Amino acid sequence: MILPSARHAPPEFTERTSADDRAVDPYAKLLEERIVLLGTPIDEASANDVTARLLYLEHTAPDRAIALYVNSPGGSFTAMTAIYDTMRHVSCDVETTCLGQAGTAAAVLLAAGTPGRRAVLPGARVMLRQPSLAEPVEGRTDDLAVRADESTRIRTRLEELLVRHTGRTPEQVTADIERETILDARQALDHGLVDHIVPGRGATPATPGAR
């Protein structure tokens, strides 16, 4: 069976118990701790994986928070909305943390975490830009007009989501995505995409306004 290219199967490791040694799937161990990792481009396959995990964890303990770790270059807007709507649907708080990178679609998910519980690691970066079509635009004039309308609708929706979850003005968000904007951890904090920077275990997180 050939898996979609967006998927990555982590190597299993061996866990020694009193009875015997057994192979362990790292993702399964993370799920036991209510941790979900989005570590691939966002497409239908990865969106289904993440939404299934979120729904499962809500079912097992609807009052316990879920931790969503994001390391993704972004991807499909429609696949992102599947994850976004599920995050809003579940009763659990969803803590979000960016490690590595968060491209535009992933940045929306990062910002959509429970207020006060959105974090970024110091070496991570966040990228914002306007949505682009995934393939060359060809076809009849009427079809091209439909695609243009859909592209405008997606951009408008993207701006609405970023305004809602960052507290920036519509004008600021429009300027942010007009051209590719690359933010380091401090800039992501200042842009309202996260609530604090986590420098390491036991260190005091940086919050907006702190230097």
Side-chain angles (χ1 to χ4, degrees), residues 51-155:
T51 56
R53 286 169 168 80
L54 293 175
L55 292 170
Y56 168 76
L57 292 173
E58 182 203 27
H59 174 74
T60 58
D63 297 327
R64 292 179 58 196
I66 299 170
L68 175 62
Y69 284 80
V70 177
N71 179 22
S72 170
S76 164
F77 185 85
T78 53
M80 179 277 290
T81 58
I83 300 174
Y84 175 87
D85 287 343
T86 304
M87 290 172 63
R88 306 286 287 177
H89 170 74
V90 297
S91 59
C92 315
D93 285 345
V94 180
E95 306 169 355
T96 54
T97 302
C98 177
L99 60 161
Q101 65 175 331
T104 304
V108 172
L109 299 179
L110 174 66
T114 300
R117 306 180 79 168
R118 307 171 304 165
V120 60
L121 270 64
R125 67 175 187 167
V126 179
M127 294 163 287
L128 300 174
R129 66 180 177 185
Q130 58 183 301
S132 58
L133 298 177
E135 65 277 339
V137 179
E138 299 177 351
R140 301 183 309 174
T141 302
D142 290 348
D143 293 334
L144 296 179
V146 171
R147 297 289 296 280
D149 288 343
E150 176 64 4
S151 180
T152 300
R153 184 194 71 81
I154 289 175
R155 172 169 175 150

Side-chain angles (χ1 to χ4, degrees), residues 6-8 27 31 36-38 40 43-55 83:
R7 294 174 182 261
H8 168 67
Y27 282 163
L31 198 63
V36 177
L37 174 63
L38 173 58
T40 67
D43 61 7
E44 286 71 18
S46 59
N48 286 339
D49 286 346
V50 172
T51 56
R53 286 169 168 80
L54 293 175
L55 292 170
I83 300 174

Side-chain angles (χ1 to χ4, degrees), residues 13-29:
F13 61 89
T14 301
E15 183 177 62
R16 178 165 296 177
T17 68
S18 58
D20 55 13
D21 295 343
R22 61 175 181 171
V24 177
D25 173 6
Y27 282 163
K29 296 296 288 185

